[in-house]
Amino acid sequence: MHTKTMEGLIGARTNMNLMNTPMRVYKEARRKGDTETMERAMGYAVECSDRAEEYQAEADEGMKKDAEEARKTAKEQREEAIQKRRDEREKLEKKIEERIEESRKADAKETRECLLEISEEGKVLLKDNTGLDNVVSAETKTDAVKEPVTYTKTGETVSAEQSISTGISVSV
């Protein structure tokens, strides 16, 4: 609460209470018919009333200042909250970007760590093909085509002729 508001409220209340005494004297003098005492008491009552109005105006002015200050503090708090949200959002965006970058690096690392093994037959074919200027020989083509093979439950290979003679049973 602003000091002007407090002073105004206290001063107005005090002067209103002080006005009770001259008013009581005025009422008593009126009963007795003493006009001179009535006029003097009414003068004191008007003085107290005027001072009470002055203090009331001061209290109003203080309340306006209180309202202004409250608006300013509310605006500052809103601005601080907005700035805080912006900062939090920026931090969150940075974290998201960092995680995306980390996942990209991890993906890149995984692709770099791929290992390619070439068999001995592949090495021989590579040497043969590079010496012939990318012309494929007939022998290479025949080696690439092999007879169909069937595997048993144990993982052994069986030629196509044997698998036909034993019969195939399929159940669905």
Side-chain angles (χ1 to χ4, degrees), residues 7 13 30 44 64 71-73 90 101 104 123 136 139 150 158-159:
E7 287 177 7
R13 181 169 186 244
R30 188 176 73 184
Y44 292 134
K64 286 178 185 177
R71 279 192 298 269
K72 285 180 184 178
T73 56
E90 288 175 2
E101 188 65 30
R104 286 182 186 161
K123 290 178 184 177
V136 180
E139 292 177 18
T150 308
V158 179
S159 65

Side-chain angles (χ1 to χ4, degrees), residues 82-115:
I82 290 169
Q83 185 62 38
K84 186 178 179 181
R85 287 185 197 122
R86 285 181 186 155
D87 293 342
E88 288 175 359
R89 184 175 44 226
E90 288 175 2
K91 287 179 184 178
L92 185 61
E93 287 175 358
K94 285 180 183 178
K95 284 182 181 180
I96 290 171
E97 289 175 7
E98 289 174 0
R99 288 185 181 170
I100 290 172
E101 188 65 30
E102 288 174 4
S103 67
R104 286 182 186 161
K105 286 180 182 178
D107 290 344
K109 187 177 179 183
E110 288 176 7
T111 56
R112 281 189 228 134
E113 292 178 357
C114 291
L115 181 62

Side-chain angles (χ1 to χ4, degrees), residues 10-56:
I10 292 170
R13 181 169 186 244
T14 304
N15 281 298
M16 290 304 287
N17 288 339
L18 288 175
M19 191 172 69
N20 289 336
T21 306
M23 287 304 288
R24 193 174 347 110
V25 171
Y26 172 81
K27 289 177 186 176
E28 201 173 301
R30 188 176 73 184
R31 259 192 317 229
K32 292 181 183 176
D34 187 4
T35 58
E36 186 178 315
T37 307
M38 285 173 48
E39 287 176 8
R40 205 175 36 225
M42 190 50 83
Y44 292 134
V46 169
E47 271 182 42
C48 288
S49 176
D50 289 343
R51 278 187 274 164
E53 286 178 11
E54 290 172 8
Y55 279 114
Q56 181 62 37

Side-chain angles (χ1 to χ4, degrees), residues 63-167:
M63 290 173 76
K64 286 178 185 177
K65 288 186 179 182
D66 282 342
E68 269 182 44
E69 288 177 8
R71 279 192 298 269
K72 285 180 184 178
T73 56
K75 183 178 179 181
E76 289 173 1
Q77 288 175 349
R78 281 193 307 270
E79 290 174 358
E80 287 175 6
I82 290 169
Q83 185 62 38
K84 186 178 179 181
R85 287 185 197 122
R86 285 181 186 155
D87 293 342
E88 288 175 359
R89 184 175 44 226
E90 288 175 2
K91 287 179 184 178
L92 185 61
E93 287 175 358
K94 285 180 183 178
K95 284 182 181 180
I96 290 171
E97 289 175 7
E98 289 174 0
R99 288 185 181 170
I100 290 172
E101 188 65 30
E102 288 174 4
S103 67
R104 286 182 186 161
K105 286 180 182 178
D107 290 344
K109 187 177 179 183
E110 288 176 7
T111 56
R112 281 189 228 134
E113 292 178 357
C114 291
L115 181 62
L116 178 65
E117 292 184 24
I118 301 174
S119 66
E120 292 300 322
E121 293 173 357
K123 290 178 184 177
V124 171
L125 286 173
L126 181 63
K127 285 180 186 177
D128 290 344
N129 288 334
T130 55
L132 298 175
D133 295 329
N134 293 332
V135 177
V136 180
S137 66
E139 292 177 18
T140 308
K141 289 183 178 177
T142 57
D143 288 343
V145 177
K146 294 185 178 180
E147 293 181 27
V149 179
T150 308
Y151 292 96
T152 62
K153 290 180 183 179
T154 59
E156 297 174 4
T157 59
V158 179
S159 65
E161 295 172 1
Q162 289 178 350
S163 65
I164 293 173
S165 64
T166 58

